[in-house]
Amino acid sequence: MTEGYYRDSAGTLGWCLTLVLLGCLGPVRSSWAQPPGYALRGTLVTPGGIVENGIILVAQGKIVAAGDRVEIPRDEPIIDTHGIIAPGLIDLHNHLTWNVFPRWHPVQEFGNRYDWQQKPIYQTLLVSPHAAIVADGLECEMERYAEVKALSEGETSLVGSVANACSQGLAHNLDTDAAWHVAYNVFPLQMPETELAPIRRQLATHQLHAFLIHLGEGGRQDASAAREFAMLEGRGLLVPGVALIHGVALKPENFAAMASHGVGLIWSPRSNLELYGSTADVVSAQAAHVAIALAPDWSPTGSDGLLAELNYAAAWNETQSPHPFTDRDLVSMATAIPAAMIGAADRLGALEAGHDADLLVVRPESGRHDAYWTLTHATAAQVTLVMVEGTPLYGDPAVLAQLTASRPAERLEVCGSTKALNLIGTHGPGDASDETWVHTSATLETALRHYGRHLAPLAECGQ
């Protein structure tokens, strides 16, 4: 076991374990009591396309079958969702404990991330209260709030959780559960060679499936951000399994080099545009055949979650001529593509037999729009069900009650819509067994008020 470090988006140095080198596993979801088998009916978003009036058969946390000709065992309950059933969304770029803060509205555009991280206003509004609340021992509450926020946005897998894994997790915690073989670093160019060498070796031997790193975060013309690509190459990190987060300052020739070495791009357009006035040249990345995933970054300058980031990416896409992506492309960038990026295409990102039953159900709007358009334009109010490994965790009360009739579910309001949350079985050793969503929210609201802030909403509801 080797001790290492990671840095979060504030540049705060925090000690943790280099998870890719751990011999032990984090908390295992299979210890949860699995619900009995059941079938969900709805419009399916499958690898082959949209399947109207399809069936998903789930048992023991896995998808048994999906399609329009699924044989349902006798006495198996069938739940008609009246919605669009898609794979759970996969978020490969986040900083979870920071998502308790409301949106930060910078009054200027910055050259690169080093500029805004030095501003007194950033230190006052975010860095100082974050450090104080963590010092108060509320890191687990911050994590739990952020994970519920992610669920409310349709996410079932994510990165950016706290290193001590203080809860069993609601979504899959990809970078803090060693079973996924994913490493995540905000400042890779500052890592000592003693940490980088094992990562390069494990990428080469496929012991590590993915190394997700921030790079080239700044304006399109920022020289210091652009120079980071050459520094990355010099450190031997232009290799398969690496994916670059942001990449706003990267040039077409950089994308060509990335494609030839199997390096992916994780795109966060809202945060890029709010901070730098531009975003990654995804048109050139697409032309070079770089794999592109979509991710929200964090709530202060990005989106509340992946559903909101899909909305933003779709709006940005409409401003481009010609449109670089179809709605189907954008949905793939939040499901199948990130699954492949982390070497989990056999488990995540698709409605296929044998995959984890990580599902998102969204209520369609009236009109002639197809399922892909609905997913790229849906609000958090339209999320009717989210389940992870077949465990229903969040959704409309009526839908959740059909799947968790014997379990108590808390109620909460999201964008004027009542939702239900099932936190049973999600508490880890550091959690009070009676901690509820109401208690978590109230505790954080009180703590933030002491530092002149207030708790961010789960969703901005289009404002």
Side-chain angles (χ1 to χ4, degrees), residues 8-10 91 93-99 101 103-104 116-117 122 126-127 130 149 217 246 268 270-271 275 295-305 309:
D8 58 26
S9 60
D91 177 359
H93 174 208
N94 218 308
H95 309 274
L96 294 183
T97 57
W98 298 82
N99 290 344
F101 292 99
R103 180 162 295 281
W104 175 38
W116 55 265
Q117 287 174 1
Y122 173 65
L126 290 167
V127 175
H130 182 275
K149 186 178 236 184
E217 184 183 349
H246 290 299
S268 297
R270 180 167 188 175
S271 189
L275 289 171
D297 193 348
W298 61 341
S299 298
T301 62
S303 294
D304 289 317
E309 192 72 358

Side-chain angles (χ1 to χ4, degrees), residues 30-351:
S30 60
S31 63
W32 295 11
Q34 290 287 351
Y38 50 85
L40 301 177
R41 187 191 305 276
T43 298
L44 310 184
V45 178
T46 73
I50 297 169
V51 176
E52 303 288 350
N53 197 31
I55 291 286
I56 294 275
L57 191 62
V58 174
Q60 297 299 309
K62 296 288 185 180
I63 297 173
V64 177
D68 57 355
R69 297 182 181 179
V70 173
E71 184 176 343
I72 303 172
R74 180 180 297 180
D75 299 327
E76 197 87 308
I78 304 175
I79 297 164
D80 198 333
T81 67
H82 303 287
I84 294 165
I85 306 175
L89 307 183
I90 304 169
D91 177 359
L92 298 188
H93 174 208
N94 218 308
H95 309 274
L96 294 183
T97 57
W98 298 82
N99 290 344
V100 302
F101 292 99
R103 180 162 295 281
W104 175 38
H105 297 280
V107 295
Q108 67 180 101
E109 291 176 359
F110 301 97
N112 57 59
R113 61 173 168 169
Y114 310 109
D115 290 342
W116 55 265
Q117 287 174 1
Q118 304 305 314
K119 294 292 182 180
I121 188 65
Y122 173 65
Q123 300 293 320
T124 300
L125 293 181
L126 290 167
V127 175
S128 180
H130 182 275
I133 295 170
V134 169
D136 288 342
L138 297 178
E139 198 170 28
C140 288
E141 283 78 4
M142 298 165 83
E143 169 97 8
R144 188 180 302 109
Y145 189 89
E147 287 206 42
V148 171
K149 186 178 236 184
L151 286 177
S152 74
E153 290 278 337
E155 296 182 22
T156 55
S157 300
L158 45 76
V159 301
S161 54
V162 296
N164 58 0
C166 54
S167 75
Q168 287 185 319
L170 296 167
H172 295 298
N173 289 251
L174 300 171
D175 56 332
T176 55
D177 181 347
W180 292 98
H181 308 288
V182 172
Y184 176 73
N185 196 286
V186 181
F187 291 95
L189 299 178
Q190 295 179 6
M191 295 177 69
E193 182 60 24
T194 52
E195 289 188 17
L196 276 183
I199 287 177
R200 287 195 298 265
R201 182 175 63 252
Q202 292 190 28
L203 284 169
T205 59
H206 306 293
Q207 294 173 279
L208 181 64
H209 295 160
F211 188 34
L212 316 176
I213 52 178
H214 291 57
L215 196 94
E217 184 183 349
R220 286 273 186 98
Q221 305 305 317
D222 187 80
S224 61
R227 185 169 176 266
E228 289 185 344
F229 188 84
M231 297 167 69
L232 179 88
E233 193 170 11
R235 300 209 67 184
L237 287 175
L238 199 64
V239 294
V242 170
L244 306 185
I245 297 168
H246 290 299
V248 185
L250 299 183
K251 310 300 182 187
E253 58 268 26
N254 301 145
F255 292 122
M258 289 167 61
S260 67
H261 290 87
V263 173
L265 174 70
I266 300 172
W267 180 41
S268 297
R270 180 167 188 175
S271 189
N272 295 161
L273 286 163
E274 292 214 3
L275 289 171
Y276 312 116
S278 58
T279 190
D281 183 4
V282 288
V283 174
S284 293
Q286 182 188 47
H289 304 291
V290 172
I292 306 171
L294 183 71
D297 193 348
W298 61 341
S299 298
T301 62
S303 294
D304 289 317
L306 249 177
L307 203 60
E309 192 72 358
L310 277 167
N311 275 247
Y312 196 89
W316 175 89
N317 195 56
E318 285 294 316
T319 68
Q320 308 301 301
S321 182
H323 304 331
F325 307 114
T326 65
D327 289 319
R328 184 172 183 172
D329 291 336
L330 293 174
V331 171
S332 293
M333 291 160 70
T335 54
I337 292 174
M341 244 179 218
I342 60 169
D346 60 337
R347 286 188 59 181
L348 306 177
L351 301 184

